[in-house]
Amino acid sequence: MKAVITDLDRTLLKSDKSVSEKTVSVLKKIQEKGIKVMFATARPRRAITNYEKLLNPDAIATLNGARTFINGTSIDYNIPRESVRKMLSDFIKIPGSVISIETSKGIYSNVDIPEWEPVVTDCFPEIPEDCGSVFKILVSNENEDLNQHINSIVTDDCYFTVALGTLFQIMSKTATKVNGVKAMLDAFKIEKEDAVYFGDDNDDIEPLKWCGTGVAVKNAISEVSCVANETTLSNDEDGVALWLEKNC
């Protein structure tokens, strides 16, 4: 084993978003053995700075692979602005839609979402001035089933995943977790057969299948458990740390 790649929420992190002392200790020991530790997360980098400081990963794929940070540089896959405008125009027509865009200058939303601390804007479908590149569109709707609209709205140069069954995440087709994983492994000249990937949700399926070893946590959705080589204990039971302690 030369690389450990893990999702964060509901995988490495406990349900209260904390990291156990055991996990910190095991990952440190892994790195002392020369094994690279990498994150692959749907979160933007600004939302994981505390985990970076605590765990000191060797590389990070963020925003489902839209931005991958390696050795002080980033590999970016943004959504073309024309596509962003078209999709925002369609989503804004659906009453009750909560819409956010992740950009190189932060997150902008049409309503306040305290957990994300966005810049609240009423400019959609126009893109805020000076926001930089757009990497992800996030949409949810408590009143309307977006499944009946999503395929006709997402442009041909993009794809979507669904988190927690209700949050639609739209990215460029080049922005995938597996592309982020490939970039991180290539940077350290590590073959995929020498990497283990841990995950729990839809956007983890491809990297779980692609890496040499794919491990699902016990709390993963059934689609993830079906494609994983192995299953470990849940995120609240330190499943990732226990698997690494036993196998590395």
Side-chain angles (χ1 to χ4, degrees):
M1 195 69 62
K2 296 180 180 179
V4 171
I5 308 138
T6 181
D7 175 44
L8 293 179
D9 292 287
R10 300 175 301 280
T11 300
L12 188 71
L13 308 184
K14 291 182 177 293
S15 296
D16 64 2
K17 309 302 181 184
S18 66
V19 181
S20 71
E21 291 183 5
K22 182 174 186 65
T23 294
V24 174
S25 174
V26 168
L27 291 182
K28 182 178 180 182
K29 290 177 181 177
I30 288 295
Q31 287 179 308
E32 289 172 349
K33 291 181 179 181
I35 299 172
K36 301 298 182 184
V37 172
M38 307 170 182
F39 297 161
T41 179
R43 294 193 190 200
R45 192 175 192 182
R46 67 175 185 280
I48 61 170
T49 53
N50 54 331
Y51 304 120
E52 277 196 77
K53 292 176 182 177
L54 181 64
L55 300 171
N56 192 31
D58 297 283
I60 309 167
T62 68
L63 295 170
N64 300 85
R67 302 197 82 181
T68 299
F69 297 91
I70 309 166
N71 295 327
T73 63
S74 68
I75 301 170
D76 296 346
Y77 300 109
N78 60 288
I79 305 174
R81 295 177 83 84
E82 288 186 8
S83 296
V84 175
R85 288 191 186 93
K86 181 183 183 306
M87 288 185 280
L88 292 180
S89 295
D90 291 334
F91 282 124
I92 206 73
K93 295 174 184 175
I94 305 172
S97 291
V98 177
I99 307 169
S100 305
I101 58 171
E102 279 284 0
T103 79
S104 52
K105 299 293 180 65
I107 186 168
Y108 298 77
S109 302
N110 66 337
V111 300
D112 190 21
I113 306 171
E115 182 182 0
W116 294 354
E117 299 181 348
V119 175
V120 180
T121 178
D122 61 0
C123 73
F124 296 156
E126 291 305 310
I127 303 169
E129 293 184 12
D130 304 322
C131 74
S133 299
V134 178
F135 296 107
K136 182 191 284 192
I137 301 173
L138 303 106
V139 187
S140 63
N141 194 312
E142 293 183 356
N143 305 316
E144 185 83 12
D145 181 9
L146 292 179
N147 283 290
Q148 62 182 322
H149 303 285
I150 193 74
N151 287 314
S152 63
I153 291 177
V154 174
T155 54
D156 290 340
D157 50 2
C158 292
Y159 76 103
F160 71 92
T161 64
V162 185
L164 302 176
T166 58
L167 180 63
F168 289 80
Q169 306 177 100
I170 302 159
M171 289 78 61
S172 163
K173 282 185 174 178
T174 54
T176 63
K177 275 195 176 182
V178 74
N179 278 348
V181 170
K182 289 176 181 178
M184 292 189 292
L185 293 182
D186 285 347
F188 293 102
K189 296 181 172 55
I190 297 173
E191 299 295 328
K192 65 178 182 178
E193 291 78 13
D194 298 322
V196 57
Y197 186 94
F198 296 89
D200 76 295
D201 211 341
N202 284 301
D203 54 9
D204 297 310
I205 290 175
E206 196 174 7
L208 276 165
K209 294 166 64 176
W210 186 79
C211 287
T213 304
V215 182
V217 284
K218 189 171 67 176
N219 53 291
I221 63 173
S222 59
E223 293 86 347
V224 167
S225 300
C226 287
V227 302
N229 301 112
E230 302 180 37
T231 299
T232 186
L233 293 179
S234 73
N235 63 320
D236 287 322
E237 299 170 295
D238 292 331
V240 173
L242 290 172
W243 191 95
L244 292 173
E245 196 171 48
K246 179 181 178 180
N247 291 279
C248 293

